[in-house]
Amino acid sequence: MPYKFTFDLSKVPKFFFTELAAVSYQTGMHTAVLKTSVDIIQKFKIEEVTGLNINDAVVLLHDLMDIQAANIVNRNKFAESKKRALLLPHCSRAYLDNRCKAFFDANIPSYICAHCSENCLVNQADKIAKEKGYDVFVLSGGSCVPKILNNAKYDGVVGVACGEEVKMLHPLLNNLDIAVQSIPLIKNGCVNTVFNIETLIKVL
């Protein structure tokens, strides 16, 4: 968990993310973006809803805006990609104990979803992506990514992770000339992390 703070944006109104996406279209406005971030935080009462202090909230919002801006820049290239993979965090599984029947294959390295729980985000995402022709990897951490990408030549990747981890992986994907679309977690932590399944469907 790269962030030094935990957050939960799952209770924030959907319009918050719409406004965030609109702001992300703007570039070269560093001072204005800082003011805009504070305005958004206050408008949607992010501090009250999430318990984050203003500084952590600004860091989180800047990362979300950077991710959205990068998605916009890479969208056309991603749309032209043919061989695609979806990278999911294992901490979004409904259960991290023996109730989860996923098998970890160290040779890949990835968990193989067993589709054992209908309310599991990983199960839902795995089914949706595979129906669209994606290879799906459920990762125990970002260190698994280089091996997976070196084993198969993907030209498009959708990654689900916390914002700071997404930013760390972008240089690797760019160096491999892979078009990437990122979906940030809206609730972080070590267990029961959350991403928006509707956003995933749109991006796929």
Side-chain angles (χ1 to χ4, degrees), residues 5-27:
F5 54 86
T6 57
F7 61 86
D8 184 355
L9 300 177
S10 61
K11 297 182 177 72
V12 175
K14 288 185 179 180
F15 184 67
F16 162 78
F17 298 99
T18 305
E19 185 155 326
L20 203 62
V23 171
S24 301
Y25 277 98
Q26 303 171 30
T27 57

Side-chain angles (χ1 to χ4, degrees), residues 107-126:
N107 293 318
I108 298 178
S110 170
Y111 284 93
I112 309 301
C113 181
H115 307 292
C116 55
S117 179
E118 287 301 318
N119 67 331
C120 177
L121 277 175
V122 168
N123 176 19
Q124 295 168 25
D126 184 84

Side-chain angles (χ1 to χ4, degrees), residues 40-168:
I40 291 174
I41 289 165
Q42 292 172 341
K43 177 178 178 179
F44 290 96
K45 301 180 179 177
I46 299 299
E47 289 178 278
E48 294 175 32
V49 175
T50 65
L52 290 175
N53 64 49
I54 188 70
N55 292 330
D56 290 343
V58 167
V59 167
L60 180 59
L61 258 65
H62 281 191
D63 284 350
L64 293 176
M65 285 190 283
D66 286 346
I67 290 168
Q68 182 64 27
N71 283 349
I72 293 164
V73 169
N74 289 311
R75 189 64 193 175
N76 288 340
K77 183 178 179 181
F78 179 80
E80 295 172 358
S81 63
K82 303 299 181 186
K83 187 174 183 181
R84 298 176 178 175
L86 171 63
L87 310 179
L88 295 169
H90 87 103
C91 54
S92 289
R93 291 180 291 159
Y95 306 106
L96 299 186
D97 54 24
N98 60 9
R99 287 174 292 179
C100 175
K101 305 305 179 186
F103 165 74
F104 185 76
D105 187 339
N107 293 318
I108 298 178
S110 170
Y111 284 93
I112 309 301
C113 181
H115 307 292
C116 55
S117 179
E118 287 301 318
N119 67 331
C120 177
L121 277 175
V122 168
N123 176 19
Q124 295 168 25
D126 184 84
K127 287 179 179 177
I128 292 166
K130 284 180 177 173
E131 286 175 1
K132 295 179 178 292
Y134 284 72
D135 291 339
V136 180
F137 302 94
V138 183
L139 310 181
S140 57
S143 60
C144 300
V145 175
K147 183 174 182 180
I148 288 169
L149 297 182
N150 287 328
N151 286 342
K153 301 300 180 184
Y154 296 102
D155 52 357
V157 167
V158 176
V160 180
C162 72
E164 207 165 79
E165 198 160 46
V166 166
K167 289 169 66 177
M168 288 191 296

